[in-house]
Every structure is written in C-alpha cells, then in structure tokens.
Amino acid sequence: MDPIFSPSLHRQRHQFVIDFVRRNKPRKVVDLGCSECSLLKKLKFHREVELLVGVDINGAKVKKKMHGLGPISTDYLQPTYDQLRVELYQGSVTQKDVRLRGFDLVTSIELIEHLTLADVECFSEVVFGYMIPVAVIVSTPNSEFNPLFTGLTGFRHSDHKFEWTRAEFQSWALKVCLEYGYEVEFTGVGQAPPGQQESVGFCSQIGVFHRRAGRDHCNMLFGDDADDVFSYTLLYSINYPSLRDNNILRRVLVSEVLYWTEKLKRRWMEEKTGERDDAYTLCLTEGGVEECLRALERHVDMEEKQTAACGAEVKHPVVSEDQEGEDEEVFWTNGKGQQESKKLHRCVCVPLAALWSCCPKVSALSGSLSNLRHILMEDPEVKLSQDRSAVLVQEEDLEEEDHNDLEDSGYAEAGQCSHNAVQEEDWEANI
Ligand code: SAM
C-alpha cells in the first residue's frame, strides 16, 4: 500500500510524542491503548519522566513485551538520582480508575477509532472530565488522506469503527474543549505528496490539548473519595534503581570506595617496591594520584608513630618493614560500635581524606567526609582503622601475585568500563 513514509508513520507518531515530552518535560505520563508498549519503551529514556503508565484493554498484548520496560544492567550498575516507576494496567479507557488521575500528559495514539462512537463519549468523559491531565495528545487516521492509498477500500484496519475527516475530528475536539475546559491545536504526521497537503491534510491527524488555567481548581476534585474507583488490573510495576534510595546510594558508594581503596593500595605498594606497572594506571590525573599517594604515605607514617606510642596492646594495621611476614592482630569496628579482632596479614591504611580527594564520585555521593565515615562505619564490607580515619585493606605480596595478573587486569578493565559507561550510554542517541 503506498505512499510509504520514511520514517514509518508509526515512528513519526511516536517521535511527535517524544518531541512534545522533550519540550514540556511532563513528570507523569500515561499511554492509553499502549498495545505492546513500544511508545513507553522510548519514553522510559526521558529521565524527566518519573511515572510512566500504560493501559490497554488487551492484557495479552501488554504482557507480550512488558519485561522490556524493566531496568537494564546499566541502570543497576550506574544508577543516577533520577527516579522512574513503570506501571502497566489492563483496562478500558471507557472506565474510570483513580490511579490515572493527576497526570501531566495522556497520550492516545491511534486508539479512538477502535471505539464505538458511544465509547468515544465515555473516553472523553474519562480522560478530560475525570483524569483531567495537564495535556492530552490524540492521534487518529485522517480519512481524507485515504484516496492516496491505491487499492484501499473501507477503513485502514478491520477493527476501526470509524475514520474521521479533519472536520469531524475537529468538531469532536472542540466540543470536548468547550465541555471540559481545554484548548486544542491541530496538526499531524505523514505529509501528503507535494501540492496535495492542503487538500488532503496529514495521514495521521493529531490534536494537542492543554488544560485551561481556570481548570486548575480541578485538583481539588482529586480528593473526592466517591470517585476512588479501581477498575484496572495491574499487570506489571517496577521501580528503577535510584541514588535517592539510601540503600542503593550506600551500595554504590561502598563499591566505589572498595574499588578506589584497592587501586590506591596497589599503586602505593608499587611505588614502595619500585614495581610500578603502567597496566595499573589509575583513571585519574597524575597530580591527583600523586597527592593521594602522598596522603597515603603520611597516613602510614602517622599510624606507625601511633602504634609505637600505644605500645603493643592495640596494634594498628600498618605496613612496616620489620614486621614483614608476621601475622598481626588488628581491630576494627563491626558497624555497631563494637570492636572485632581477626588474624590477618599486614594491612594498608587508605585514608578517607585521600579517597575523598582522589575520587570525585566518592565525594559527590557522600556529600561530606563525615558522611562518608558514617556510611562506611555501618557497612560490614568495609574495615576502618580504629580512629575511623582510614579504610584498611589487606596487603598482598606483589611477587606472589603474578598469577593473578589476568584477574587483576580484568578488575581494572571492569573498573574502567564502569567509569566509561557513563559516557557510552547515550540513550538519547539510541531511540
Ligand atoms: N498506541 C499504540 C501505538 O502507538 O503503538 C497502538 C494502538 S493499537 C492501533 C490500538 C490499541 O488500543 C490496541 O492495543 C487495543 O487493544 C487498544 N484498545 C482498544 N479498545 C480499547 C479500550 N476500550 N481501552 C483500552 N485500550 C483499547
């Protein structure tokens, strides 16, 4: 069937919504007649959107691909402060459901022509009179364009109950505006061939509705219990990982701290033993690394002096030449303020201040050095020095470790990947 659009008409309709979302930045969006969720999948990459909801009468269609709306591994590995919740419902747009009130944007893309005219009236009342969103985008076929499809007799789809001319669509839209306090602009996608645009219009006609300012009082209606109906069935819901969730923030921060502690320790040991290996080059400016190493050095010196001053009773785990090869008892807090002791080889202390100044992500995530200390004190994975000013990490013998090189370089690469991923994941470019 011609004309064939490029990009396809389906993509052009979705692109129209995406452009609207980019300009208007709605936080809560619902797609009515979402079918297999293809528009929702594109919208989930728009991080201004915090709640993304899809509704379709056909639950089987929704279920087919709904898991594609879930977070991907990058969302877990590199969570941001953005928040996103996705909900999918089976239900009819002719019925009210309180969970769909108060949205910023409602989209209805090629849906209304699947309803009987009586149901279109219900749709108008549910969407404009009950859901009362800030904006609504409605697209539907423009029947005036149909003669350009050679061989098309009847409607474009066997399930269509009607296909409106531009005048019919506009008459319905203007009536809705009058009744429910909206204003509308008409446009469309799918250009007619040159010279015919004016006579036939767009292939898909679109009405963009905005709630009039005077209707702002409608928010008061949202508290009306009489209207609290739950007629839709929830099929799927998911919260995306976000750094606003304290558990996730803690997990990311701790893994970043452990990663950089290991890096700094390794670099310091290489400096000490003169076995510095460029394979371990840190992802930092050289100045930053050197500063951290100096801080590490200072801290070790200080710890050694403290050890001497305190005597043998409470030994701080520090690297010292004369203890080489000996096991040493070290103490750390177990997160509940109690001390635990454990036999292990010598430890390197990586000062929190060094981590703070070397790793921008650690400082950004923790907000302050004392917050960082607080968070690490609570975490069983992190061992802090007794004065809680440094992370303790077990020293390894570099010579014995040669067989681990592959693993280590994998670790370094994984680390680099995790840092590079931020730049590579340009989701906007993928949609
Ligand atoms: N909006 C989709 C898109 O842009 O990819 C395509 C919509 S498809 C042409 C029409 C959808 O409307 C179907 O998935 C159908 O199940 C759904 N539908 C039909 N009547 C409905 C109703 N009363 N309530 C909700 N969804 C309905």
mmCIF file of all heavy atoms in Angstrom, residues 112-128:
data_model
loop_
_atom_site.group_PDB
_atom_site.id
_atom_site.type_symbol
_atom_site.label_atom_id
_atom_site.label_comp_id
_atom_site.label_asym_id
_atom_site.label_seq_id
_atom_site.Cartn_x
_atom_site.Cartn_y
_atom_site.Cartn_z
ATOM 1 N N ILE A 112 -8.721 5.945 19.408
ATOM 2 C CA ILE A 112 -10.167 6.240 19.466
ATOM 3 C C ILE A 112 -10.945 5.609 18.307
ATOM 4 O O ILE A 112 -12.113 5.257 18.471
ATOM 5 C CB ILE A 112 -10.457 7.769 19.545
ATOM 6 C CG1 ILE A 112 -9.834 8.519 18.376
ATOM 7 C CG2 ILE A 112 -10.030 8.348 20.883
ATOM 8 C CD1 ILE A 112 -10.285 9.986 18.280
ATOM 9 N N GLU A 113 -10.298 5.413 17.172
ATOM 10 C CA GLU A 113 -11.008 4.824 16.021
ATOM 11 C C GLU A 113 -11.350 3.351 16.253
ATOM 12 O O GLU A 113 -12.088 2.749 15.488
ATOM 13 C CB GLU A 113 -10.198 5.014 14.730
ATOM 14 C CG GLU A 113 -8.861 4.288 14.667
ATOM 15 C CD GLU A 113 -7.720 5.051 15.359
ATOM 16 O OE1 GLU A 113 -7.995 6.098 15.981
ATOM 17 O OE2 GLU A 113 -6.573 4.583 15.281
ATOM 18 N N HIS A 114 -10.792 2.772 17.357
ATOM 19 C CA HIS A 114 -11.133 1.382 17.716
ATOM 20 C C HIS A 114 -12.350 1.339 18.641
ATOM 21 O O HIS A 114 -12.792 0.257 19.020
ATOM 22 C CB HIS A 114 -9.941 0.702 18.403
ATOM 23 C CG HIS A 114 -8.775 0.474 17.482
ATOM 24 N ND1 HIS A 114 -8.578 -0.687 16.781
ATOM 25 C CD2 HIS A 114 -7.752 1.302 17.129
ATOM 26 C CE1 HIS A 114 -7.479 -0.593 16.044
ATOM 27 N NE2 HIS A 114 -6.958 0.620 16.237
ATOM 28 N N LEU A 115 -12.865 2.505 19.008
ATOM 29 C CA LEU A 115 -14.019 2.576 19.919
ATOM 30 C C LEU A 115 -15.279 2.879 19.125
ATOM 31 O O LEU A 115 -15.218 3.546 18.082
ATOM 32 C CB LEU A 115 -13.805 3.691 20.953
ATOM 33 C CG LEU A 115 -12.487 3.687 21.729
ATOM 34 C CD1 LEU A 115 -12.409 4.920 22.642
ATOM 35 C CD2 LEU A 115 -12.343 2.408 22.550
ATOM 36 N N THR A 116 -16.416 2.433 19.652
ATOM 37 C CA THR A 116 -17.681 2.857 19.040
ATOM 38 C C THR A 116 -17.868 4.337 19.375
ATOM 39 O O THR A 116 -17.241 4.857 20.312
ATOM 40 C CB THR A 116 -18.870 2.063 19.626
ATOM 41 O OG1 THR A 116 -18.923 2.377 21.041
ATOM 42 C CG2 THR A 116 -18.718 0.563 19.431
ATOM 43 N N LEU A 117 -18.733 4.995 18.633
ATOM 44 C CA LEU A 117 -18.917 6.434 18.902
ATOM 45 C C LEU A 117 -19.446 6.665 20.325
ATOM 46 O O LEU A 117 -19.081 7.653 20.973
ATOM 47 C CB LEU A 117 -19.841 7.054 17.859
ATOM 48 C CG LEU A 117 -19.185 7.189 16.468
ATOM 49 C CD1 LEU A 117 -20.177 7.676 15.421
ATOM 50 C CD2 LEU A 117 -17.958 8.088 16.502
ATOM 51 N N ALA A 118 -20.265 5.723 20.808
ATOM 52 C CA ALA A 118 -20.762 5.851 22.193
ATOM 53 C C ALA A 118 -19.596 5.760 23.167
ATOM 54 O O ALA A 118 -19.516 6.524 24.155
ATOM 55 C CB ALA A 118 -21.787 4.758 22.483
ATOM 56 N N ASP A 119 -18.657 4.862 22.863
ATOM 57 C CA ASP A 119 -17.486 4.718 23.742
ATOM 58 C C ASP A 119 -16.546 5.923 23.632
ATOM 59 O O ASP A 119 -15.829 6.242 24.589
ATOM 60 C CB ASP A 119 -16.732 3.416 23.432
ATOM 61 C CG ASP A 119 -17.396 2.212 24.098
ATOM 62 O OD1 ASP A 119 -18.270 2.421 24.970
ATOM 63 O OD2 ASP A 119 -17.050 1.063 23.750
ATOM 64 N N VAL A 120 -16.536 6.579 22.480
ATOM 65 C CA VAL A 120 -15.715 7.794 22.363
ATOM 66 C C VAL A 120 -16.238 8.854 23.345
ATOM 67 O O VAL A 120 -15.451 9.582 23.969
ATOM 68 C CB VAL A 120 -15.712 8.339 20.907
ATOM 69 C CG1 VAL A 120 -15.016 9.692 20.841
ATOM 70 C CG2 VAL A 120 -15.021 7.362 19.976
ATOM 71 N N GLU A 121 -17.556 8.871 23.522
ATOM 72 C CA GLU A 121 -18.134 9.806 24.506
ATOM 73 C C GLU A 121 -17.643 9.476 25.924
ATOM 74 O O GLU A 121 -17.276 10.365 26.700
ATOM 75 C CB GLU A 121 -19.675 9.729 24.478
ATOM 76 C CG GLU A 121 -20.301 10.368 23.237
ATOM 77 C CD GLU A 121 -19.836 11.814 23.037
ATOM 78 O OE1 GLU A 121 -19.997 12.623 23.971
ATOM 79 O OE2 GLU A 121 -19.280 12.106 21.958
ATOM 80 N N CYS A 122 -17.637 8.174 26.241
ATOM 81 C CA CYS A 122 -17.129 7.748 27.572
ATOM 82 C C CYS A 122 -15.655 8.113 27.704
ATOM 83 O O CYS A 122 -15.209 8.596 28.756
ATOM 84 C CB CYS A 122 -17.274 6.242 27.766
ATOM 85 S SG CYS A 122 -18.956 5.676 27.745
ATOM 86 N N PHE A 123 -14.897 7.859 26.636
ATOM 87 C CA PHE A 123 -13.456 8.180 26.630
ATOM 88 C C PHE A 123 -13.259 9.666 26.954
ATOM 89 O O PHE A 123 -12.427 10.027 27.793
ATOM 90 C CB PHE A 123 -12.892 7.840 25.234
ATOM 91 C CG PHE A 123 -11.527 8.400 24.939
ATOM 92 C CD1 PHE A 123 -10.375 7.690 25.275
ATOM 93 C CD2 PHE A 123 -11.373 9.629 24.293
ATOM 94 C CE1 PHE A 123 -9.106 8.193 24.987
ATOM 95 C CE2 PHE A 123 -10.118 10.144 24.010
ATOM 96 C CZ PHE A 123 -8.982 9.426 24.366
ATOM 97 N N SER A 124 -14.061 10.530 26.298
ATOM 98 C CA SER A 124 -13.932 11.983 26.520
ATOM 99 C C SER A 124 -14.186 12.307 27.989
ATOM 100 O O SER A 124 -13.453 13.091 28.603
ATOM 101 C CB SER A 124 -14.946 12.762 25.668
ATOM 102 O OG SER A 124 -14.870 12.335 24.342
ATOM 103 N N GLU A 125 -15.227 11.670 28.528
ATOM 104 C CA GLU A 125 -15.569 11.978 29.926
ATOM 105 C C GLU A 125 -14.493 11.466 30.890
ATOM 106 O O GLU A 125 -14.112 12.167 31.834
ATOM 107 C CB GLU A 125 -16.925 11.351 30.259
ATOM 108 C CG GLU A 125 -17.558 11.955 31.491
ATOM 109 C CD GLU A 125 -18.541 11.016 32.161
ATOM 110 O OE1 GLU A 125 -19.255 10.287 31.444
ATOM 111 O OE2 GLU A 125 -18.586 11.021 33.420
ATOM 112 N N VAL A 126 -14.001 10.245 30.603
ATOM 113 C CA VAL A 126 -12.973 9.659 31.491
ATOM 114 C C VAL A 126 -11.688 10.482 31.417
ATOM 115 O O VAL A 126 -11.110 10.854 32.449
ATOM 116 C CB VAL A 126 -12.694 8.178 31.105
ATOM 117 C CG1 VAL A 126 -11.450 7.653 31.794
ATOM 118 C CG2 VAL A 126 -13.902 7.309 31.448
ATOM 119 N N VAL A 127 -11.244 10.788 30.192
ATOM 120 C CA VAL A 127 -9.940 11.453 30.048
ATOM 121 C C VAL A 127 -10.032 12.922 30.455
ATOM 122 O O VAL A 127 -9.270 13.390 31.315
ATOM 123 C CB VAL A 127 -9.416 11.318 28.592
ATOM 124 C CG1 VAL A 127 -8.135 12.142 28.404
ATOM 125 C CG2 VAL A 127 -9.143 9.849 28.274
ATOM 126 N N PHE A 128 -10.949 13.655 29.848
ATOM 127 C CA PHE A 128 -10.969 15.110 30.062
ATOM 128 C C PHE A 128 -11.777 15.516 31.298
ATOM 129 O O PHE A 128 -11.509 16.547 31.908
ATOM 130 C CB PHE A 128 -11.534 15.811 28.818
ATOM 131 C CG PHE A 128 -10.688 15.615 27.595
ATOM 132 C CD1 PHE A 128 -10.965 14.597 26.682
ATOM 133 C CD2 PHE A 128 -9.602 16.445 27.342
ATOM 134 C CE1 PHE A 128 -10.184 14.413 25.552
ATOM 135 C CE2 PHE A 128 -8.804 16.261 26.216
ATOM 136 C CZ PHE A 128 -9.097 15.242 25.326
#
